[in-house]
Amino acid sequence: MPELPEVETIAASLRRRIVGWKIDKIEVFLPKLLRKTDVAGLRKFKGKKIIGLRRRGKLLLIACENDLFLLFHLKMTGQFHWTIAGAARETHTHLRISFKGRRRELCYRDVRKFGFLRCLATPSPLDCEELRALGPEPLEMDGRRFPDLIGRRKGRLKSLLLNQSFLAGIGNIYADEILFESGLQPLTSASSLAGKDVRRLWNAIQKILMRAVAAGGSSIRDYKNADGLDGHFQFYHKVYGREGLPCSRCGSPIERLAIGGRSSFFCPRCQRKK
DNA sequence: GCCACTGTTAGCAT
DNA sequence: CATGCTAACAGTGG
């Protein structure tokens, strides 16, 4: 489920609570949740204090003492939630972290079981394969570099925005909203863009992602932050999930196309193909 | 019951 | 490299 704004919101909601807490134990109920990690690796976290949380792309990194890190990818349906020690495990809960001297326990639940946790013991966690493969952070990169970044790319804009090695963190919802905001049709090839299109695309990326983060992300189906709260950017979607409904700008019915196996929603009038 | 669909992405064929 | 298909998995809605 979660794309950049949702993971950012989850990171913030977790950070508010657990920074400074000491891990007591990490229990795993679904072995395949662990990637390149075993239970012995998890034991190293016992007694370690959590010192920070950050997001990179759609990945969440929890930093602990002694160069230890927990790297989560929530994929489609991963969620964090809190329970009280001793409470029964809720369905689809695959991991539980308890903390020294705290009654609250942090649980990870994932209906479709696509997500993973990898433990890292290194002073340079950003060098792991998962993070190295990512392109720049869209909200941190210098916009003056964007024309060069996109200039060397081919292929359709929709697929390019979903490509995590191009920019990190954009998924299906925000790709569609960004393209609507830019006035660009999803099948447009990246190499056909004029300078002003590139600027519009960059501005749309900034605007949509910043607003979505400010709104706490989009709750369509499952997404909640770690405190169980919904985001509200779904109320501002202009195209995603709106097939057949009138465009908010021109009134034309929103259309849907499958591009690379993903649904793509767009306005046929406001988003003309180049 | 069957089929299509879902916020992700790795792997493999073309 | 780009694109397209499949699979990982479970649930929902028509």
Side-chain angles (χ1 to χ4, degrees):
Chain A
M1 67 169 112
E3 308 180 31
L4 183 156
E6 289 77 27
V7 181
E8 185 73 31
T9 304
I10 289 167
S13 64
L14 282 178
R15 188 182 296 119
R16 285 195 290 269
R17 293 193 190 273
I18 63 175
V19 170
W21 289 17
K22 257 184 194 168
I23 292 176
D24 183 15
K25 74 180 169 205
I26 303 178
E27 298 168 278
V28 176
F29 312 109
L30 179 77
K32 70 156 260 185
L33 175 68
L34 300 179
R35 173 186 285 196
K36 293 176 183 150
T37 299
D38 53 20
V39 175
L42 290 177
R43 277 202 292 268
K44 290 192 281 197
F45 287 81
K46 188 176 182 68
K48 297 298 182 291
K49 188 183 286 184
I50 292 174
I51 56 181
L53 274 92
R54 67 165 293 187
R55 174 196 61 74
R56 173 81 173 99
K58 299 171 191 171
L59 288 133
L60 181 72
L61 196 59
I62 303 179
C64 305
E65 298 173 310
N66 294 44
D67 291 334
L68 289 171
F69 299 86
L70 297 169
L71 180 68
F72 281 94
H73 197 311
L74 279 46
K75 293 286 181 92
M76 297 281 273
T77 52
Q79 286 182 337
F80 289 101
H81 65 104
W82 292 98
T83 57
I84 298 298
R89 188 154 47 96
E90 292 178 28
T91 51
H92 307 300
T93 295
H94 309 309
L95 176 127
R96 186 165 59 203
I97 304 177
S98 53
F99 301 90
K100 301 273 191 199
R102 309 275 172 175
R103 293 190 65 226
R104 286 163 95 50
E105 297 179 333
L106 181 63
C107 295
Y108 174 76
R109 117 181 108 198
D110 187 347
V111 170
R112 293 177 71 180
K113 304 177 182 168
F114 292 168
F116 67 80
L117 165 63
R118 181 174 175 191
C119 300
L120 302 166
T122 168
S124 50
L126 300 183
D127 288 342
C128 70
E129 306 87 273
E130 287 86 350
L131 298 182
R132 246 190 351 227
L134 298 177
E137 279 298 320
L139 293 181
E140 290 168 26
M141 81 175 278
D142 183 341
R144 289 171 295 190
R145 285 176 47 216
F146 187 65
D148 185 53
L149 185 70
I150 197 169
R152 288 175 287 107
R153 296 293 189 144
K154 300 187 296 185
R156 309 182 280 210
L157 289 179
K158 174 64 186 276
S159 303
L160 189 58
L161 288 174
L162 292 179
N163 183 340
Q164 302 299 296
S165 70
F166 172 63
L167 285 175
I170 297 170
N172 210 31
I173 294 177
Y174 298 107
D176 282 3
E177 294 301 318
I178 286 165
L179 289 172
F180 176 80
E181 184 67 29
S182 334
L184 295 165
Q185 208 267 6
L187 290 171
T188 306
S189 74
S191 56
S192 74
L193 297 189
K196 74 167 173 21
D197 299 318
V198 172
R199 281 192 295 278
R200 292 185 70 170
L201 181 56
W202 172 254
N203 289 337
I205 289 168
Q206 300 301 304
K207 179 173 166 182
I208 294 294
L209 293 179
M210 285 193 300
R211 290 187 177 186
V213 169
S218 304
S219 293
I220 304 290
R221 204 172 253 104
D222 306 308
Y223 166 70
K224 292 177 185 308
N225 73 16
D227 294 327
L229 300 176
D230 282 346
H232 44 274
F233 196 71
Q234 66 276 15
F235 299 122
Y236 303 96
H237 291 173
K238 304 254 179 85
V239 287
Y240 183 82
R242 299 182 56 80
E243 183 181 17
L245 296 172
C247 170
S248 60
R249 187 165 162 270
C250 78
S252 302
I254 299 301
E255 292 183 6
R256 174 159 88 148
L257 274 178
I259 303 175
R262 315 294 305 280
S263 279
S264 297
F265 301 91
F266 67 101
C267 170
R269 188 149 156 215
C270 299
Q271 297 170 263
R272 73 241 182 276
K273 190 157 181 293
K274 303 267 312 172

